[in-house]
Amino acid sequence: MQCKAFLFSLFFMVFCFAKQAKGQSWAVGLHFGENLSTLRGNAKTDYLPGFMGGLHASHYLTENVVLRLEANFERKGSRIEGVNPNPDPGTPDFANDYRFDYLSLPVMLRYSVGKNAKFVVGGGASVDYLIRQRTDYGTLTTNELGDYRRFDSDLIGTMGGAIPFGEKWTVSLEMRALWGLIGVNKPKGVAPELGKNLSWGLMAGVNYYL
């Protein structure tokens, strides 16, 4: 419900800005970066490194307000720790690594200030589709895609800057955080609820103004 309300508010703002957007420019570009992600649940978890990359298209609703659409490939995950059920002397506790690969479609509003170099803040939401899953149980690796929900949704917050080079290009660097709204797995029997995605990372990009 929170995600639906946010998206409704987002598109309402786009409608309100539509008349001011007339004649404003479009930009397209690429972005890529690394992240640290985990799961917000009852289990004892740790962060795993991941990555993201994709394409974006931006429309200037006003001189400072941008509607940005993206299509991304994102790897998220978590390390979940447990206790060895049959410990031998000197045997360490075990940890399972869970990795999730998503096709993500974010929609964001971003606000920028500055004449040349720009400071940018923004936020939005995304719909994510799980295309691949992998769990590492020590030396054993399994694909358990059927045990996980195929769709997720995130709230997104971002902050960074952009510097122009030439008349049509800018390069950008930003911090981005994603707050998952849906539990990743479908617990069966006594299986635990692993929780919801949480990730943050650093992302670089290049933009071309049409």
Side-chain angles (χ1 to χ4, degrees):
M1 289 298 293
Q2 292 177 340
C3 183
K4 289 181 180 178
F6 181 87
L7 289 174
F8 176 80
S9 300
L10 182 62
F11 286 112
F12 177 76
M13 292 177 68
V14 171
F15 176 79
C16 291
F17 279 121
K19 292 184 179 179
Q20 299 181 40
K22 221 170 189 181
Q24 295 291 331
S25 61
W26 285 81
V28 295
L30 307 170
H31 52 268
F32 57 91
E34 295 185 341
N35 61 42
L36 290 173
S37 62
T38 189
L39 293 169
R40 309 180 337 266
N42 296 323
K44 186 178 179 181
T45 61
D46 200 357
Y47 284 88
L48 280 183
F51 59 89
M52 66 165 294
L55 311 169
H56 62 260
S58 301
H59 179 51
Y60 281 77
L61 303 174
T62 72
E63 184 179 353
N64 301 106
V65 178
V66 177
L67 173 66
R68 175 155 155 159
L69 310 176
E70 296 181 357
N72 299 327
F73 178 82
E74 299 183 14
R75 172 162 292 177
K76 303 174 185 177
S78 184
R79 171 165 291 182
I80 297 182
E81 300 177 3
V83 178
N84 194 322
N86 300 298
D88 294 322
T91 300
D93 294 346
F94 67 88
N96 301 327
D97 292 347
Y98 295 81
R99 292 181 173 85
F100 309 94
D101 293 339
Y102 290 95
L103 173 63
S104 178
L105 302 174
V107 179
M108 289 183 286
L109 282 178
R110 296 157 67 94
Y111 179 81
S112 64
V113 292
K115 291 293 186 181
N116 292 314
K118 293 183 180 294
F119 175 73
V120 180
V121 294
S126 69
V127 175
D128 312 323
Y129 181 72
L130 182 63
I131 57 177
R132 186 167 56 194
Q133 190 279 332
R134 192 182 85 190
T135 306
D136 295 334
Y137 300 100
T139 58
L140 175 65
T141 297
T142 64
N143 182 335
E144 302 172 325
L145 188 63
D147 293 335
Y148 296 89
R149 295 186 174 95
R150 301 304 292 270
F151 285 95
D152 193 5
S153 183
D154 296 323
L155 295 180
I156 304 169
T158 187
M159 178 175 65
I163 300 174
F165 68 99
E167 294 182 358
K168 293 277 191 175
W169 297 87
T170 63
V171 291
S172 62
L173 188 66
E174 63 185 66
M175 291 288 296
R176 179 173 293 193
L178 295 93
W179 184 270
L181 300 177
I182 301 172
V184 297
N185 67 324
K186 301 180 288 187
K188 299 175 182 177
V190 296
E193 176 72 54
L194 295 180
K196 303 172 183 179
N197 282 306
L198 172 67
S199 67
W200 58 274
L202 191 63
M203 190 176 75
V206 59
N207 309 279
Y208 177 76
Y209 294 90
L210 302 177

